Amino acid sequence: TFGTGLVALLEPADALSVTFPPSPPTFSKGFVVASFPWDAFAIGRIDVASVHLDFGRESVRRAQVEELIVELGARKSPLVVMGDFNCDWTEEDAPLRRLARGLRLRPYRSDEIGPATFPTRGTRIDWILISSDLEFAEYRTLPDEVSDHLAVVADLVPCNEGGDSRR
């Protein structure tokens, strides 16, 4: 799948790679998802997905988001969905918001435009969305351009409900 991947020090389990239906003239897009061990949760793992949505047409992104909701919605672990969504949060019916609602995820500071992840246009189109079991401890972009986008880094911790937050 063009533009997706997961790199981890931990051994992944239940890995799945999905290529969305073709949407010429753009390259094929899709997502990868895997489970990783994390003993901070009773279930003992967390699911992480890397996504790349179509850049050319919102209608294609909407269809891709619906497929993501079906595929990822069946997973029971805390969930992180990250990647190049090629859209922002500003419109109420934006595909990104539909995905967040459909999977009960939230972004870091949706109320602000930055940090810009696509320097050429000064827009934020790369996102990390997390389930309610998680909190953002830190969120930033790296100054080095990895591609035409900046890398986004988030440190996540389990929601602390009187217990120990382990990274």
Side-chain angles (χ1 to χ4, degrees), residues 54-124:
D54 185 83
F55 67 85
R57 294 176 303 247
E58 185 169 325
S59 61
V60 173
R61 286 190 295 277
R62 288 183 187 285
Q64 293 169 341
V65 159
E66 293 305 321
E67 187 171 344
L68 277 164
I69 291 169
V70 169
E71 291 287 342
L72 300 179
R75 292 182 169 258
K76 303 299 179 206
S77 300
L79 179 62
V80 177
V81 179
M82 59 187 173
D84 181 353
F85 292 89
N86 278 306
C87 58
D88 61 25
W89 190 266
T90 56
E91 296 178 27
E92 186 61 39
D93 65 341
L96 183 63
R97 282 191 183 209
R98 168 67 183 121
L99 179 66
R101 281 192 306 270
L103 294 175
R104 294 178 307 283
L105 302 173
R106 69 184 188 289
Y108 176 80
R109 292 191 173 171
S110 63
D111 59 330
E112 64 180 46
I113 295 171
T117 62
F118 192 59
T120 318
R121 294 196 181 153
T123 58
R124 182 180 180 190

